[in-house]
Amino acid sequence: LRVNMKKTSGVKDLVIILCLVFFLVGFGCLMVYSASFYSAQFNYGNKYFFLLKQLLGVGMGIGTLCLFYFIDYHLLSKLKWWIVGASIVLLALVFVPGLGMESYGAKRWVSILGFSIQPSEIAKFAIVIFSASYMSEHHDDMKTFKGLLPVLCVGGVMCLLIMLEPSMSVTMCICFVCLFMLIIGGMSKKHTLMFSVPAGACVPLLIILEPYRLKRLLAFIDPWASPQGEGFQLIQSLYSLGSGGWFGRGIFASRQKCLFLPFAESDFILSIIGEEVGFVGTTLLLGVFLWLVIKLIKIALNAPDRFGALLSAGISFIIGVQTLLNVAVVTGSIPPTGLPLPFISSGGTSVMMFMAGIGMCLNVARQSRRR
């Protein structure tokens, strides 16, 4: 009876997770269209330009979700070096002329057969797979510096390549993921401090080395000092959120998306959501993210082995921390970064990889029920 009750509970959790994910991607498609149809018509002559790209990403995401749900997640452990190698190669291809695509001074995309791929989105999940596999196989060595080196080296190479694009935000995200994986994998407190303090000290140095980062920091401190320059985007974001009030202007009724707020369909889509559905609607949306993360953590706690637990925990951390960082950016709580809102922001690679991550977690849950 107890086993049957656990199986029933597991099926219920699976259904809830799928409902939450499909709600997020469905709502994301709606908001991508709402936030982009004016700019898409103005710039491309097709108001469905960003919506069609998002629907393609969602379609590929559904395919990857199903693929990783039915394929034994232990296969990922066996292929960890291939996955990491492919991810690093993709990160390096952005610097190859003819393959790398540059936008706003950053090379973050690779064009393959007419499709653009953002390798940094793949790298976030590749480092989780590699770390989870390596630490589950060498759990007894994680208290030693030698045992930590492979994860640190792989994470360091990825961070270096992403930093050269440049993309400070994704670099920080990879660093957070690596640190989180090492902590839950058994890293000692001494080593945690040893790596955390220097990493934190490097942040001001990286900001000083790049003039545009320093300008962003100054704009974050006082956006009104440069209302037509670096502070413009944050000011427009705050206008958007503030004008939404408690219940919003209504779907499709945003004003800031009319070429006032840059990247309204991607990094700052939450600002448009706040304007159209208000504080109440935005809070409910963040509640859906919280519910999803809690369900994924539950999968990690009930995983049949250490690899499954670390894998699910790492994926839940990526979703949680990236959501928090995106919220912090659009509300002016931290300097502007280029991290999308999971499942919602425009970006086919991002949506596809997050849905692939969900498929991995559901595979762990499926094998937990069998055992």
Side-chain angles (χ1 to χ4, degrees):
L1 178 60
R2 187 178 301 170
V3 171
N4 289 334
M5 289 177 63
K6 285 184 177 181
K7 286 185 177 181
T8 303
S9 176
V11 173
K12 181 181 177 182
D13 288 341
L14 186 148
V15 172
I16 291 175
I17 290 172
L18 286 176
C19 289
L20 294 175
V21 170
F22 282 107
F23 168 79
L24 289 173
V25 296
F27 182 72
C29 290
L30 176 67
M31 293 311 303
V32 164
Y33 172 70
S34 176
S36 67
F37 71 80
Y38 187 91
S39 62
Q41 182 66 42
F42 183 83
N43 293 313
Y44 302 100
N46 178 10
K47 66 179 181 179
Y48 301 109
F49 179 80
F50 290 102
L51 174 62
L52 293 175
K53 292 178 65 177
Q54 190 72 357
L55 289 173
L56 176 61
V58 171
M60 296 175 66
I62 293 174
T64 56
L65 188 153
C66 295
L67 176 67
F68 286 107
Y69 175 73
F70 289 107
I71 292 180
D72 187 352
Y73 69 91
H74 294 96
L75 180 62
L76 298 173
S77 180
K78 298 177 182 178
L79 298 175
K80 62 179 179 293
W81 288 107
W82 290 97
I83 293 171
V84 164
S87 178
I88 292 175
V89 168
L90 286 173
L91 288 173
L93 286 178
V94 301
F95 305 107
V96 177
L99 290 178
M101 299 172 60
E102 184 172 345
S103 178
Y104 296 94
K107 296 180 179 179
R108 301 175 185 173
W109 295 268
V110 175
S111 178
I112 300 177
L113 299 176
F115 293 95
S116 60
I117 301 173
Q118 191 170 0
S120 57
E121 292 293 329
I122 300 173
K124 287 183 288 190
F125 291 88
I127 189 64
V128 168
I129 294 170
F130 174 81
S131 301
S133 175
Y134 173 81
M135 292 188 298
S136 63
E137 295 172 358
H138 302 85
H139 178 67
D140 295 334
D141 300 328
M142 298 311 296
K143 296 294 183 182
T144 66
F145 180 75
K146 182 180 179 180
L148 302 174
L149 274 179
V151 177
L152 291 173
C153 290
V154 170
V157 171
M158 287 183 174
C159 288
L160 177 62
L161 290 171
I162 295 172
M163 199 182 304
L164 293 175
E165 293 180 356
S167 180
M168 181 70 173
S169 56
V170 181
T171 303
M172 294 296 294
C173 185
I174 295 286
C175 287
F176 285 143
V177 171
C178 281
L179 183 61
F180 173 78
M181 295 301 293
L182 287 171
I183 290 173
I184 65 173
M187 182 170 64
S188 65
K189 294 180 181 179
K190 178 183 70 174
H191 288 136
T192 301
L193 291 174
M194 184 187 300
F195 298 125
S196 300
V197 174
C202 286
V203 174
L205 179 62
L206 292 173
I207 292 175
I208 295 172
L209 289 176
E210 286 288 349
Y212 82 93
R213 292 174 188 155
L214 186 58
K215 289 181 180 179
R216 283 187 177 183
L217 178 61
L218 295 175
F220 160 70
I221 296 172
D222 183 14
W224 298 102
S226 179
Q228 296 297 322
E230 292 296 328
F232 179 80
Q233 191 173 30
L234 179 56
I235 291 173
Q236 298 304 316
S237 175
L238 296 177
Y239 278 156
S240 184
L241 291 170
S243 62
W246 284 99
F247 301 103
R249 295 179 177 274
I251 300 295
F252 308 129
S254 166
R255 296 175 181 174
Q256 295 304 114
K257 66 187 177 189
C258 299
L259 304 183
F260 291 104
L261 177 62
F263 305 108
E265 75 284 346
S266 55
D267 299 342
F268 280 78
I269 195 170
L270 188 64
S271 301
I272 304 301
I273 293 173
E275 184 178 2
E276 294 191 349
V277 302
F279 177 79
V280 174
T282 304
T283 302
L284 292 175
L285 177 65
L286 296 180
V288 173
F289 276 107
L290 178 61
W291 194 2
L292 176 61
V293 170
I294 290 173
K295 288 296 182 183
L296 296 182
I297 292 174
K298 183 178 178 181
I299 290 176
L301 293 173
N302 295 320
D305 53 32
R306 191 180 301 276
F307 174 57
L310 294 174
L311 179 66
S312 301
I315 293 171
S316 67
F317 179 78
I318 292 177
I319 295 172
V321 75
Q322 192 159 316
T323 301
L324 288 176
L325 289 174
N326 186 272
V327 172
V329 167
V330 301
T331 56
S333 303
I334 62 173
T337 64
L339 283 176
L341 186 63
F343 303 106
I344 291 181
S345 290
S346 176
T349 309
S350 175
V351 174
M352 183 180 70
M353 291 309 301
F354 276 107
M355 295 187 75
I358 294 297
M360 297 175 201
C361 292
L362 294 180
N363 187 272
V364 175
R366 183 163 69 100
Q367 298 202 34
S368 298
R369 292 197 311 274
R370 285 182 176 180
R371 298 193 183 187

